Amino acid sequence: MNIAILASGGDGSGMNLFLYHVVKKLKNHNITLFKSGFCGLCDDITCDFDLSYIKEHRNDGGIMIKTSRCEQFMTKQGQDKAINTLKRHKIDVVIVMGGNGTLKGAEILHQNGVKVVFVPCSIDNDVSPSEYSIGFDTACQTCVEYIQKVNDTMLSFDRGCVYEVMGRHCDAIAKKVGQLVDADYVYKNTSTLKQCVQALKKSKKSAPIVVLQENVTDVSQLSKNLESEISKEVKFCVVGYIQRGGKPSKKEKAFARLFATCSADAVNNDSSFSMCAVKNNNVTCLNLS
Ligand code: F6P
């Protein structure tokens, strides 16, 4: 079989490991790795990595075949170019790694008669109906380490701090990290300043912690508002892109392997549109067609 693999949207730890396991499992097939996601499909750009190179870099952060948010593929012209590329390479099935935006791109391929296997990869953990997407656990662990280190100095000065974490419009990282660092308040899109102030006033900590979901409110303004309300210095930190990098956590490694087994099986099944998903803690293959 001729199998294409691509990654699109935000990257996350564990994607290289998934790539390694799936390429290894499918090594008896002809695999084409498209570079920079749907852009690589539109412009027919591939990577010629062999299994030993992929193995060597399997625990690296990022995604070695590169990713993009491809504007070209949003147009009918771009989509036609991508479909023609797949025809030229005589591709039988495309394995697509990405988040919920990428799932829409995968659906476009499917609507054009391409067999697709979709694999949830996004630190945001917002790929419904899967309970897990590759990159989430490592991103949360990174946030925890970051917050714990910053909190050391906040404690020395008795300062509060607001930590903005990623997630686009999803509160999964904020909620999980808030739990893990025992935050005084997790500021999500349903939150109000009043609720946050009340939580900090109730807190017995000398260095209270607020975890803020990105795209909800301005982090600098929030820290200023809190500072004037609780009569304590309140700093802010944007955790940022560090959340997408680094070596995969143990949980990430386990899911990368399980998703690879699931995708390799899906390549051979009858469904023209499959998705590897975690349901009730088990990796399963959903038929989206
Ligand atoms: O979707 C993953 C993510 O890291 C989001 O959490 C964040 O909002 C976005 O990507 C940032 O995207 P970019 O890399 O395009 O700045």
Side-chain angles (χ1 to χ4, degrees):
M1 236 191 276
N2 293 326
I3 300 167
I5 304 181
L6 63 90
S8 164
D11 54 347
S13 296
M15 286 174 74
N16 279 329
L17 194 56
F18 165 81
L19 182 71
Y20 164 66
H21 286 305
V22 82
V23 169
K24 196 170 124 189
K25 280 182 192 299
L26 297 170
K27 65 175 188 281
N28 294 329
H29 297 273
N30 178 32
I31 295 179
T32 307
L33 303 172
F34 281 94
K35 190 176 177 187
S36 305
F38 293 109
C39 288
L41 267 195
C42 294
D43 298 330
D44 197 352
I45 304 172
T46 59
C47 307
D48 57 355
F49 303 146
D50 60 12
L51 187 57
S52 69
Y53 178 87
I54 298 173
K55 183 176 182 188
E56 195 186 324
H57 295 280
R58 68 192 186 284
N59 283 316
D60 293 353
I63 175 65
M64 66 183 93
I65 58 173
K66 315 253 176 177
T67 183
S68 67
R69 303 192 190 280
C70 182
E71 296 207 347
Q72 200 186 163
F73 190 70
M74 310 280 176
T75 66
K76 175 81 176 68
Q77 203 187 6
Q79 290 162 14
D80 290 346
K81 279 172 74 183
I83 300 299
N84 284 336
T85 304
L86 291 172
K87 283 187 181 150
R88 230 178 357 263
H89 286 265
K90 297 188 169 49
I91 298 295
D92 299 298
V93 49
V94 186
I95 298 176
V96 178
M97 296 184 246
N100 58 10
T102 304
L103 183 55
K104 291 187 191 120
E107 198 178 346
I108 290 170
L109 293 181
H110 164 66
Q111 284 160 353
N112 280 277
V114 178
K115 180 175 163 97
V116 177
V117 176
F118 181 79
V119 187
C121 296
S122 167
I123 64 163
D124 302 339
N125 207 20
D126 59 350
V127 194
S128 176
S130 183
E131 289 157 13
Y132 193 76
S133 62
I134 292 177
F136 176 68
D137 187 66
T138 314
C140 290
Q141 294 304 329
T142 301
C143 289
V144 170
E145 277 171 41
Y146 179 107
I147 292 173
Q148 283 170 344
K149 284 184 181 165
V150 176
N151 194 238
D152 287 345
T153 171
M154 295 299 144
L155 279 166
S156 307
F157 283 87
D158 289 343
R159 287 169 172 163
C161 192
V162 182
Y163 300 89
E164 183 186 282
V165 298
M166 279 186 168
R168 199 176 288 277
H169 302 295
C170 178
D171 60 14
I173 297 182
K175 274 180 17 195
K176 184 74 193 172
V177 170
Q179 221 174 46
L180 294 171
V181 300
D182 188 24
D184 295 278
Y185 193 73
V186 176
Y187 206 112
K188 302 173 287 185
N189 52 13
T190 49
S191 299
T192 62
L193 177 66
K194 197 173 159 199
Q195 289 168 346
C196 187
V197 169
Q198 271 170 0
L200 296 201
K201 281 186 175 164
K202 261 199 350 214
S203 170
K204 305 238 169 352
K205 291 187 201 146
S206 69
I209 296 174
V210 175
V211 177
L212 167 67
Q213 175 192 342
E214 72 170 347
N215 297 317
V216 166
T217 190
D218 181 74
V219 66
S220 138
Q221 193 56 52
L222 176 61
S223 66
K224 276 191 202 128
N225 292 342
L226 291 173
E227 192 162 87
S228 63
E229 293 279 353
I230 67 165
S231 320
K232 184 187 268 291
E233 255 190 292
V234 180
K235 300 286 180 188
F236 71 89
C237 291
V238 177
V239 182
Y241 288 104
I242 193 174
Q243 291 163 91
R244 295 220 299 241
K247 298 211 177 304
S249 68
K250 269 192 189 158
K251 181 171 176 178
E252 218 73 81
K253 286 183 178 174
F255 276 117
R257 184 187 282 271
L258 292 167
F259 275 146
T261 306
C262 178
S263 325
D265 292 345
V267 159
N268 294 307
N269 71 16
D270 290 338
S271 166
S272 56
F273 193 10
S274 312
M275 171 176 175
C276 298
V278 179
K279 298 278 274 175
N280 303 320
N281 267 329
N282 286 316
V283 174
T284 175
C285 180
L286 304 178
N287 182 349
L288 300 185
S289 58

